[in-house]
Amino acid sequence: MAWLLLLAGAALLAPAAASEVTAEEEQLFKAWMLQHGRRYGVGEYERRLRVFVGNKRHIEGHNAGNSSFQMALNQFSDMTFAEFKKLYLWSEPQNCSATRGNFLRSDGPCPEAVDWRKKGNFVTPVKNQGPCGSCWTFSTTGCLESAIAIATGKLLSLAEQQLVDCAQAFNNHGCSGGLPSQAFEYILYNKGLMGEDAYPYRAQNGTCKFQPDKAIAFVKDVINITQYDEAGMVEAVGKHNPVSFAFEVMSDFMHYRKGVYSNPRCEHTPDKVNHAVLAVGYGEEDGRPYWIVKNSWGPLWGMDGCFIAGGGAGKAPEPLL
């Protein structure tokens, strides 16, 4: 059984391009290129240098302010946010509204805090979707991997590429986007999902190669939590398993490094979402509730591939981000 909640949020605008580049900034860029294996032609070098410096200055300005989270240079720092969105987020509009939830509350209090990564071998390592808007597949497999591990004690690594290649009939679009709710429905009616070793990830659209005899994960039922029902999400994560959800990524999140991510300009429309992730826990610090979230941009991004998101855990329903 898989649990999922779909929410919407917002973030800040992309940084402005840098004007004059200093010698120190260019040296930093060259060191960054070496670290990340980047090579450019002459014209492309100049353009990427200015984008990099623009991002660097935006990060420095943000970190100098009074924010609950910090930003840092990372593997995306030579890209404009428009380029990043095109490669890593959904390009097809996705309406994640889950207004008809079928999650039934249970009696008894929820744990005050939980982190499924620390409770046992229940969460697979952070994966990397690469330049493909397939985050919805990683959110789906992450949720199902954890649900199976919690139920059976066996942690599997499931095939995101099968969802990319085979789930189009359930209103998913491969590298152009999709939703975990629709991916779970595909697995349910398809009668299975293969393992990643048998159906390796390629970060691009392909022809469906599903082999029923090699399916290792199955879905009996899908539980939807009503949109914005954060108390329901607390109960699902606290008492059952990690939960899939979706939100809108914008430029400040692209360079997130650590701390509690939040944004006062949050929107409330579910049609704005462009990224799906996995809530693996929650807690509270200094009276402020937060979520622990597993991303799919590799372990070098954020906090070992994860982030902390501010929320109203256990209080009145509100957007997670």
Side-chain angles (χ1 to χ4, degrees):
M1 186 176 292
W3 307 82
L4 64 151
L5 176 69
L6 303 172
L7 303 173
L12 300 176
L13 298 177
S19 52
E20 296 181 4
V21 177
T22 68
E24 290 79 10
E25 287 173 330
E26 184 164 11
Q27 283 300 115
L28 179 63
F29 179 56
K30 290 179 178 179
W32 180 92
M33 287 177 58
L34 185 63
Q35 178 186 358
H36 294 280
R38 296 287 205 277
R39 293 183 179 180
Y40 313 106
V42 177
E44 183 70 2
Y45 173 87
E46 293 297 329
R47 191 171 82 85
R48 292 298 166 190
L49 170 61
R50 291 191 174 276
V51 170
F52 175 87
V53 172
N55 283 325
K56 168 187 170 292
R57 293 177 182 178
H58 176 70
I59 290 167
E60 291 173 342
H62 170 88
N63 290 344
N66 185 25
S67 176
S68 61
F69 70 99
Q70 292 186 6
M71 298 164 64
L73 296 169
N74 59 27
Q75 67 266 41
F76 306 130
S77 296
D78 66 338
M79 303 171 67
T80 66
F81 184 58
E83 292 170 328
F84 176 81
K85 286 176 63 177
K86 185 176 181 180
L87 289 175
Y88 291 91
L89 303 176
W90 299 336
S91 57
E92 293 286 341
Q94 304 292 319
N95 191 325
C96 72
S97 178
T99 56
R100 295 186 300 275
N102 56 344
F103 175 61
L104 299 177
R105 301 290 180 83
S106 61
D107 296 329
C110 296
E112 291 186 1
V114 65
D115 185 344
W116 283 104
R117 301 172 302 172
K118 298 178 180 179
K119 287 173 67 71
N121 193 28
F122 299 133
V123 180
T124 53
V126 171
K127 301 180 182 181
N128 194 339
Q129 69 186 67
C132 168
S134 58
C135 54
W136 59 279
T137 71
F138 289 85
S139 177
T140 301
T141 59
C143 182
L144 189 53
E145 288 163 350
S146 291
I148 292 172
I150 292 165
T152 68
K154 185 176 182 181
L155 185 62
L156 306 173
S157 184
L158 301 178
E160 294 82 17
Q161 191 65 44
Q162 180 184 330
L163 297 175
V164 170
D165 294 346
C166 306
Q168 288 86 349
F170 288 77
N171 197 32
N172 294 307
H173 310 282
C175 284
S176 296
L179 289 175
S181 56
Q182 295 162 178
F184 282 121
E185 292 293 331
Y186 159 77
I187 299 169
L188 173 63
Y189 289 102
N190 184 66
K191 296 183 172 58
L193 185 67
M194 293 169 61
E196 194 160 22
D197 56 347
Y199 204 140
Y201 185 66
R202 296 182 296 110
Q204 60 185 14
N205 295 321
T207 304
C208 185
K209 300 179 180 64
F210 174 65
Q211 301 176 57
D213 59 320
K214 293 186 179 180
I216 61 172
F218 307 88
V219 171
K220 293 182 179 180
D221 195 10
V222 181
I223 305 299
N224 287 286
I225 303 171
T226 303
Q227 179 185 342
Y228 303 139
D229 181 8
E230 206 162 359
M233 183 171 169
V234 168
E235 181 172 333
V237 175
K239 295 184 177 181
H240 299 284
N241 55 256
V243 168
S244 297
F245 72 92
F247 68 103
E248 184 182 15
V249 169
M250 292 186 74
S251 61
D252 63 346
F253 189 74
M254 174 178 161
H255 282 107
Y256 169 89
R257 174 61 184 89
K258 63 181 180 179
V260 180
Y261 179 83
S262 64
N263 195 298
R265 300 173 65 181
C266 183
E267 296 185 8
H268 292 255
T269 54
D271 59 327
K272 298 295 185 181
V273 302
N274 57 15
H275 190 52
V277 288
L278 185 70
V280 297
Y282 61 82
E284 187 173 296
E285 183 176 348
D286 298 328
R288 183 178 187 182
Y290 62 81
W291 292 97
I292 305 167
V293 188
K294 178 186 176 185
N295 203 354
S296 55
W297 295 342
L300 297 180
W301 179 89
M303 302 171 67
D304 299 320
C306 297
F307 66 99
I308 306 297
K315 300 182 181 180
E318 62 183 72
L320 179 59
L321 296 178

